[in-house]
Amino acid sequence: MKEQENGQKFNSVCGTDCTECYCYGEMCNGCNSCEGKVFHMPEGKVCPIYDCVKNERGMGDCGECGEIPCKIWLATRDPKFSDEEFNRNIEMRVQALRKE
């Protein structure tokens, strides 16, 4: 996992490498920096994945949970992804979390 000079992790709690996103640094700095209130959520709402791992379970990221990918992951989907792209994205995130 990449880290900034201050030690803050770039990855989100779900294993996404935020630095590879077209929105990073422009309209979003990752879920850790905005406590889950990412730009694509309705105003004031917290991403359900972030809410589960940080607020409900008190974990650092989903890699600490034995249930990944869970039903929340499967329900939190970028609509632009095909089924194949979505499944590949989940696999990459799970791998990223298990490497830490």
Side-chain angles (χ1 to χ4, degrees):
M1 177 184 290
K2 300 175 187 174
E3 293 188 10
Q4 296 176 349
E5 288 180 21
N6 66 4
Q8 181 182 0
K9 295 177 179 181
F10 279 125
N11 278 7
S12 65
V13 298
C14 70
T16 298
D17 183 351
C18 296
T19 62
E20 294 182 6
C21 178
Y22 69 95
C23 300
Y24 186 77
E26 297 296 321
M27 59 175 69
C28 186
N29 288 317
C31 69
N32 286 317
S33 68
C34 65
E35 297 180 335
K37 295 178 183 174
V38 290
F39 73 96
H40 54 82
M41 294 300 300
E43 182 76 29
K45 297 288 183 185
V46 175
C47 170
I49 296 171
Y50 183 93
D51 195 37
C52 176
V53 73
K54 288 290 202 172
N55 300 331
E56 292 177 20
R57 297 177 184 237
M59 297 177 182
D61 61 46
C62 294
E64 297 176 32
C65 179
E67 299 177 34
I68 61 169
C70 68
K71 64 182 180 182
I72 297 172
W73 274 35
L74 300 175
T76 308
R77 177 181 177 149
D78 186 333
K80 72 179 180 181
F81 283 160
S82 68
D83 289 345
E84 183 178 297
E85 290 169 323
F86 181 62
N87 291 332
R88 193 169 41 244
N89 177 267
I90 285 180
E91 288 175 26
M92 290 181 346
R93 290 165 37 205
V94 169
Q95 286 177 358
L97 289 164
R98 290 195 173 141
K99 286 182 181 177
E100 295 176 8

